[in-house]
Every structure is written in C-alpha cells, then in structure tokens.
Amino acid sequence: MNLGKISYGGDWNPEQWDRAVWDEDVRLFKEAGIDFLSINIFAWTLLQPSEDTFDFSQLDEIFALLHANNIKICLATSTAAHPAWMATKYPDILRVDHQGRKRKFGDRHNSCPSSSAYATFAPKLATALATRYQNHPALELWHISNEFGGSCYCENCEKRFRVWLQQQYITLEALNTAWNATFWSQIITDWNEIVVPNQLSVQWSDRGTAMQGLALDFMRFNSENILGMYNLEYDAIKAIIPEAMITTNMMGMYRPLNYRKWAKRIDVIAWDSYPSPNHSAAQTALAHDLMRSLKDGQPFLLMEQTPSQTNWQPYNALKRPGVMRLQSWQAVAHGADAIMFFQMRRSIGAGEKFHGAVIEHSGRSDTRVFQEVAALGRELQQLGNKIIGSRIQSDVAIWFDWESWWAVENSLGPSAGLHYTEEIAKYHTAFHDANISVDMIGPDSSLDQYKILVAPVLYLLQPGVNERIKTFVDNGGTLVTSFLSGVADQNDRVFPGGPPGLLRETLGLWVEEIDALPPEQHNTMLVQNAFGSRSNYEYTCNLLFAIVRLETAETIATYGQDFYAGTPVLTRNQFGAGQAWFVASSPDSNFLNDFVQHLCRENNVQPVMQGVPTGVKVTKRSKDGHDYYFILNHTSSTQTMPLEKPMRDLLSGQTFTGSLKIEARGVLVAEAI
Ligand SMILES: [Zn+2]
C-alpha cells in the first residue's frame, strides 16, 4: 500500500454512533489531514446477527462515506470478538484459562483457536467481506482480527496439542527423551496421557514449571495454533483477492506469540505502541526496531498509539504537549510508513471510555489533542512521499529469540530477577544512546551484513545456530554474549559439559558455577587497559555472576568482590578472523556505554551523526541514493549540535549551516543540501 505519503489515521468505530455523528467525524478527519482509517474491528454481531443472516448495509454505507471523502480503508475482519449467539450455540468456541476455568461469553480475544465453530464462521465472514468489497476503490489493506494473543487449555486444544507433538516426535520414546521425562516419573506411555501445561498440571505459576520441555512445546504449539486462526482468514481472503495486502496488529515484545514465525504470513508488519509514561525513548525504539526487523527491514505501520492517554495503566498520564508528535516521528525514524491512533472518537460507554481519542467526548476540534493531531497531519502532507519505502541500514544486530525468552523464564532458578527482555534492552539502550542503528534478529535471520552481533542470554540454541554464529565470528565478526548463554538445546535440556555448551570453542571458556544474588546486591567489574582513554575503571554488575574458567579466551575485566574476586567477568577470545566476548554478569549502563563505544571503534561502526547531545537521537533512512536524517530531541530543553554539512529541515523548510538548534521535544527531518 502507498497513499503517496505517510498514511495517517486510526481505529474508527462508527457503529457505536448515530449516522449524524459520522458526517461530523469525517468533517473533522479532513480538518486533521486523516486519510486512512481502520474500520469494522468489532462488528461481528452486526454483520452476522444470526447463523444464517448477514447484513452488510451499514458497512456499505461506511465504505461509501469514506470513499466519497477520499479516505482509504484498512478493513478489519471483525473476528476478534465472537457474537453471543455463537457462544451459546457453539460453546466449544469459549476458551479455558490458565487456571482451568471454562470461560463464558464476554470480552474480546475470546475464541478458542481449536474451535471447529470458529474455523467455520471466521473464514466464512472473511470470505463474505472479500467477495463484497474486493473491487472497492477505497480498500487498501486487510486487518485480520485484532491483537491476537493469549492461550487456551480446553480439551480440543489438548487433543490438537497431542497431534502436534506426535508430528514433531513420531515416537513416545523421542518425546520422553526430549522432555527428560524420567524426572519425577513424568514418563508418557500413551499420547492421550499428555495434558496441557496450566495450573491444573505442571505449571506452578506464570513463571516456573515442573516440565520445561512440555511447557516450551506448548508455547510453540500455542503460538502456531493461534497463527492458525489468522491463516484461516488469510487464506480465505487470498482465495478471492490474490493481490490483497493483509496484516494484523502485533504488540511489540509480546511473549505468547513468536512474531518471527507470524511475520512470514503477514504482508506488512503493523503494531500497536503504548509506552508507559516512564518508558525511556530507547525502550520504545527497541520495540520499533524489533517490529521493523521481522520482515528484513521492510517499513511497518504504527497501527495504534494513543493521542493522549491510555486507560489500562494504574495512572494514565496525559502525553505532554509535543510528546505525541515526538513519538509519532520516532516510529517513522525507526521505519514506520503509517501513523495511526486508537481511537478516532472516544466511546461513551464500556471498557475504553477513558482511553484517549483524537475526537474527545467534547466532540470539539479546538482541543489541545485535536490541534496537535491536525498539526501533525499538515506535516505529513507536506512531507509527501519523500521517505515512503526508505530503509535503515545497520552494522549491529541484537539477537532476540522468543524461544530463549520462553525457556529461560519458564525455568525455576537461578534468579527470579532475570527478565530476558530487560537484558536485551540494556544492550539495545547503549547502542541507541550512541546513535548506532540496530536490527533485532533471530534464529532465521542472515548474519552476513553485520559487523557486531550481540546476543545477551542466548540461553537456547536451536540446531544449526551454533554453526552459524561460529562461522560469523570465524569470518571476522564480533560476537558479544552473556551469562546463561549456550545453556540448553531446543528442548531446554542442558548441554552435557555445562555452559556455554556448543559455544565453548567460540568463546574459549567454560562456566563452572553461576551465583545469583538479590538485584540490590552488586559486585564490581575492574577493567584494566582495555577501553582506550581510561586505563583503569570500575563498574558495577548485579543479578547473575558466572564464574568462568578460561581456555583460549583472555581476561579483560575481573570481579572486584566476593570469593570469586579476581576471576574474569569480561573475556575476549580471538576465533578465526573475529572475536567473541563473554560478559559474565549483568553490567551497569556506564559499562555498557563504554563497552559499546569500544566495540564500535574497533569494528569501524559509526554513529549516524557525530556530536549529538545527550537525549537527542538521530536515525537515518535512505531511498534512491538520498539520506533522510530524523533528529529527535527527547529532552525538555533546546539542544544545539554541530553539523558536518549544511542541512535543510523538510518539516519547517529551515536550513542549518555549521550547527543546528532543536527545541525541546522537537523533531527535524533533515537532508543534506
Ligand atoms: Zn481451546
């Protein structure tokens, strides 16, 4: 899809309103530069009031109104909440939750992925929609369901899980071996004995299970099974419109679904960004980088963000003036070609009446929020198609693998304080703050284009991963990995010989023990003659402390305290033409900032721009030989920075020579002149 500019709009739910309000909404949309709306998101019962009745009259009217006003449509399929009549007549559509309770009708995201009723009715509705609207000129994009997620533990899911396992393992012997089932006599002697892992069986809580292999396989199965719901509709739509562009909205670092596998079935990535008020700019950037990287850097859609506040956090602070604009441009700076809001008009009742909207309950356009939305709409119109389709180039990749995340957080011990995404975020933040572009890659990604690969807590090694990483380093790449890496195989069985398992040769060391202390208890990292300008420096680290025995690696830093004082906490191994670093603990941000600077210097990895003040972030998107610089001031004061070459801001038309000034929370989209 390409509207000739950055698409601008959001979720519009006219079915909640009288017809007269629709016309007023469209008038306001024109005023705000809105040209792209998601519609039909939760309308299943209106479209299909009974099993044999379809009624598209209202949706026809919505299509006609938007088309007449030159607003393009992202058509959702309405299957994210099933009708009450369906739940009554076909109760197999209701999920069973983690506590083993059968749900009743209500809420959204409520359909069991193994339900035969769902498998009948959802693609039938998608087919009816595709048949009816296939030639409609306003239709740009398909949006299947909405924010897929969760899991189901019903008997149908259990049966399907058994079949899935049988396909994976063929024999029970192979399954029992993979699950190390002799532990606690958990041996399966008949496929029908297998139960889903919830709190009625092996799952102790959200974190920790008696059977790692079972829990890991269920998470794989559940992610695939829910993807199956998407596929039902995807295939139905493509059967009628082979060239249809189809997406569904993801949720960033969302643990239950392995989005890397989903991305293969999605034509354009779309995601919903809801940073908490206390989130750093880097945390939001990480999620954008992850979403962009799912399809090899293809631009994505920011499908939802609030223009002002959410309603589901404990304290729903308003986005301060300028923050919505800044966060919108941040998405574009990291690869978005669409900026969209939830919601266009704030509903008057039910669960989201306190969630922010472009048009508030007042219905007015002279509000702060509406005026900010309209101002951004003017900017996007002015920018036109300049950056549409442009790409970000990165020399650095961070390994982010859902299966390592699942496995390490399903394990009881060694530390309840270990959060996979936080370890990833620490390293990402250091590169982000240095204005170094990062791709977020995983087991299926190519490593060829990268100089540096950072893989914190590379806990689980799928078959072939070790060989690919080894080749990367052997060919001259720089690998950084950390504690709890190389621990387990694809079934979460620890490699004999202990960590780092298959990575031992590449890292040139083995781990004898791993200490785990409360997060507030720190050790020190003593670096000598390693990071250039400062010959000796002391940093802190916490959480986990691998006690390392060196083989071919050399010590770069040592622990300063405890009985392992003087032993290595940072090592480097020359392997082939490359280097492999091991960070044995969870370091502070000062260490990571210095370490990242050192790695980038050694590998000739350059920041996007030099001399960028703290709190200002710069990214670059390129297209047809042109570079576009996104300069974002995340601080609350005006910043000045030097310029190597004169630049023009495409938003204001202002030109800068020698240096540029950027106001608090300001944004420049600049090109060299
Ligand atoms: Zn189910």
Side-chain angles (χ1 to χ4, degrees):
M1 54 168 280
N2 183 355
L3 306 189
K5 60 177 276 296
I6 292 176
S7 312
Y8 193 44
D11 281 17
W12 187 44
N13 302 304
E15 61 278 356
Q16 294 182 21
W17 299 90
D18 294 338
R19 184 66 176 76
V21 179
W22 302 7
D23 293 325
E24 172 64 2
D25 283 353
V26 168
R27 186 185 72 76
L28 292 170
F29 296 155
K30 306 291 277 185
E31 196 177 324
I34 299 295
D35 49 26
F36 191 52
L37 293 173
S38 271
I39 59 167
N40 199 44
I41 301 151
F42 291 102
W44 198 343
T45 312
L46 292 174
L47 298 173
Q48 194 178 2
S50 71
E51 183 163 349
D52 303 314
T53 320
F54 284 93
D55 179 1
F56 296 103
S57 55
Q58 191 182 57
L59 190 55
D60 287 350
E61 241 184 297
I62 296 166
F63 260 86
L65 176 66
L66 295 184
H67 181 52
N69 286 279
N70 206 21
I71 294 173
K72 297 295 183 187
I73 290 172
C74 169
L75 181 61
T77 58
S78 265
T79 50
H82 52 238
W85 62 259
M86 203 177 284
T88 305
K89 195 166 178 188
Y90 302 97
D92 84 318
I93 206 165
L94 297 165
R95 288 185 180 187
V96 169
D97 70 13
H98 195 247
Q99 284 78 40
R101 302 172 299 194
K102 176 81 171 172
R103 306 289 305 177
K104 294 191 173 187
F105 171 72
D107 214 329
R108 59 176 181 156
H109 311 145
N110 48 4
S111 301
C112 162
S114 306
S115 155
S116 57
Y118 187 86
T120 303
F121 290 119
K124 197 171 171 185
L125 178 58
T127 300
L129 289 166
T131 306
R132 192 168 191 90
Y133 299 107
Q134 57 182 317
N135 297 317
H136 201 288
L139 178 56
E140 280 287 323
L141 181 67
W142 287 83
H143 169 194
I144 292 176
S145 189
N146 185 63
E147 293 184 339
F148 277 106
S151 47
C152 178
Y153 301 89
C154 76
E155 287 184 0
N156 288 330
C157 285
E158 196 163 61
K159 284 180 192 154
R160 202 179 263 199
F161 180 44
R162 291 170 184 155
V163 172
W164 185 89
L165 288 168
Q166 214 161 347
Q167 286 163 353
Q168 307 292 313
Y169 292 106
I170 314 296
T171 69
L172 282 172
E173 190 187 1
L175 174 122
N176 283 316
T177 303
W179 289 0
N180 201 41
T182 45
F183 173 80
W184 286 355
S185 193
Q186 303 291 298
I187 296 166
I188 303 294
T189 57
D190 185 297
W191 293 101
N192 292 323
E193 294 163 2
I194 295 167
V195 297
V196 287
N198 65 359
Q199 290 190 25
L200 299 182
S201 57
V202 298
Q203 205 74 15
W204 294 318
S205 63
D206 287 343
R207 195 170 172 139
T209 173
M211 290 295 285
Q212 313 292 316
L214 166 59
L216 183 58
D217 274 337
F218 185 77
M219 295 196 81
R220 289 177 176 131
F221 161 77
N222 183 65
S223 178
E224 279 181 35
N225 204 25
I226 293 180
L227 176 57
M229 301 171 88
Y230 170 89
N231 285 337
L232 289 169
E233 296 186 53
Y234 183 92
D235 293 340
I237 296 164
K238 289 274 181 175
I240 292 163
I241 320 170
E243 70 281 10
M245 288 293 286
I246 304 179
T247 191
T248 188
N249 45 349
M250 297 179 167
M251 294 175 283
M253 289 190 290
Y254 179 68
R255 189 165 177 257
L257 302 184
N258 186 340
Y259 284 149
R260 289 196 195 287
K261 302 223 160 159
W262 280 63
K264 297 181 200 311
R265 296 283 293 172
I266 289 175
D267 297 331
V268 56
I269 298 293
W271 89 281
D272 302 346
S273 177
Y274 290 101
S276 302
N278 58 358
H279 266 185
S280 68
Q283 283 172 289
T284 309
L286 165 54
H288 288 314
D289 288 342
L290 176 63
M291 294 291 103
R292 182 192 70 247
S293 302
L294 290 176
K295 281 190 95 67
D296 293 329
Q298 180 185 303
F300 62 89
L301 287 75
L302 174 62
M303 196 172 233
E304 288 184 22
Q305 64 170 342
T306 177
S308 56
Q309 66 191 150
T310 59
N311 70 331
W312 44 266
Q313 301 183 68
Y315 310 100
N316 296 285
L318 294 169
K319 287 184 180 176
R320 269 42 195 167
V323 171
M324 181 280 290
R325 173 179 183 248
L326 180 63
Q327 291 182 345
S328 299
W329 282 113
Q330 186 190 23
V332 177
H334 286 266
D337 273 0
I339 297 172
M340 301 171 75
F341 299 103
F342 178 85
Q343 50 196 328
M344 297 309 296
R345 181 182 274 272
R346 194 188 278 232
S347 55
I348 56 164
E352 288 177 324
K353 69 178 185 295
F354 283 132
H355 194 290
V358 172
I359 305 167
E360 291 287 1
H361 286 150
S362 67
R364 300 171 65 107
S365 62
D366 59 352
T367 61
R368 176 185 72 90
V369 169
F370 189 92
Q371 288 302 315
E372 286 194 34
V373 169
L376 179 56
R378 287 190 290 276
E379 283 187 341
L380 297 177
Q381 275 166 349
Q382 190 185 325
L383 187 62
N385 71 349
K386 281 216 163 186
I387 60 159
I388 295 294
S390 60
R391 298 288 190 122
I392 291 170
Q393 197 270 329
S394 306
D395 292 329
V396 179
I398 293 181
W399 189 276
F400 183 94
D401 178 26
W402 267 264
E403 296 200 347
S404 273
W405 187 8
W406 293 340
V408 80
E409 292 188 12
N410 263 338
S411 298
L412 193 66
S415 170
L418 174 62
H419 298 284
Y420 180 74
T421 55
E422 287 177 12
E423 292 304 312
I424 299 287
K426 276 186 163 192
Y427 285 84
H428 180 276
T429 297
F431 285 101
H432 175 264
D433 290 354
N435 294 296
I436 307 280
S437 174
V438 172
D439 290 344
M440 303 296 299
I441 66 162
D444 296 339
S445 315
S446 165
L447 302 178
D448 295 344
Q449 72 182 88
Y450 303 109
K451 295 177 179 172
I452 300 173
L453 171 62
V454 183
V457 193
L458 178 57
Y459 174 81
L460 184 149
L461 296 181
Q462 293 90 348
V465 164
N466 172 56
E467 289 74 12
R468 293 182 48 233
I469 289 179
K470 206 173 188 175
T471 304
F472 168 77
V473 181
D474 198 22
N475 291 341
T478 291
L479 169 72
V480 177
T481 189
S482 74
F483 60 86
L484 281 184
S485 290
V487 172
D489 69 10
Q490 77 272 21
N491 299 308
D492 201 359
R493 288 180 310 184
V494 172
F495 288 112
L502 305 178
L503 298 171
R504 180 170 172 173
E505 192 189 349
T506 312
L507 292 171
L509 55 81
W510 62 283
V511 174
E512 183 173 349
E513 293 185 272
I514 186 151
D515 198 10
L517 299 173
E520 63 276 12
Q521 238 170 296
H522 290 77
N523 204 317
T524 49
M525 305 171 76
L526 309 176
V527 183
Q528 291 175 346
N529 304 317
F531 290 165
S533 56
R534 281 182 292 215
S535 58
N536 295 301
Y537 204 72
E538 186 175 314
Y539 306 91
T540 63
C541 57
N542 72 341
L543 210 61
L544 286 154
F545 312 85
I547 302 172
V548 167
R549 299 277 292 269
L550 299 183
E551 291 178 324
T552 54
E554 59 179 319
T555 301
I556 305 297
T558 53
Y559 288 113
Q561 296 164 22
D562 222 315
F563 75 92
Y564 37 90
T567 70
V569 64
L570 177 69
T571 69
R572 179 178 57 198
N573 193 42
Q574 296 291 340
F575 184 82
Q579 296 185 336
W581 294 78
F582 183 72
V583 188
S585 184
S586 188
D588 63 25
S589 57
N590 289 334
F591 168 84
L592 286 170
N593 292 338
D594 288 352
F595 185 40
V596 158
Q597 294 290 349
H598 176 75
L599 290 171
C600 290
R601 260 195 316 272
E602 278 200 330
N603 288 281
N604 193 28
V605 172
Q606 302 294 332
V608 179
M609 284 174 105
Q610 304 284 349
V612 180
T614 303
V616 175
K617 295 291 156 273
V618 186
T619 66
K620 184 175 79 176
R621 290 179 64 170
S622 306
K623 180 171 97 167
D624 304 332
H626 293 285
D627 294 332
Y628 301 98
Y629 294 86
F630 295 82
I631 304 167
L632 279 65
N633 182 0
H634 293 278
T635 76
S636 47
S637 57
T638 299
Q639 302 287 338
T640 307
M641 56 188 269
L643 280 183
E644 283 173 14
K645 46 196 172 188
M647 302 198 103
R648 179 193 299 113
D649 174 21
L650 297 169
L651 302 180
S652 66
Q654 205 180 347
T655 57
F656 300 94
T657 307
S659 69
L660 68 74
K661 202 178 250 192
I662 179 166
E663 64 186 13
R665 293 175 182 142
V667 175
L668 304 178
V669 180
E671 62 180 355
I673 46 175

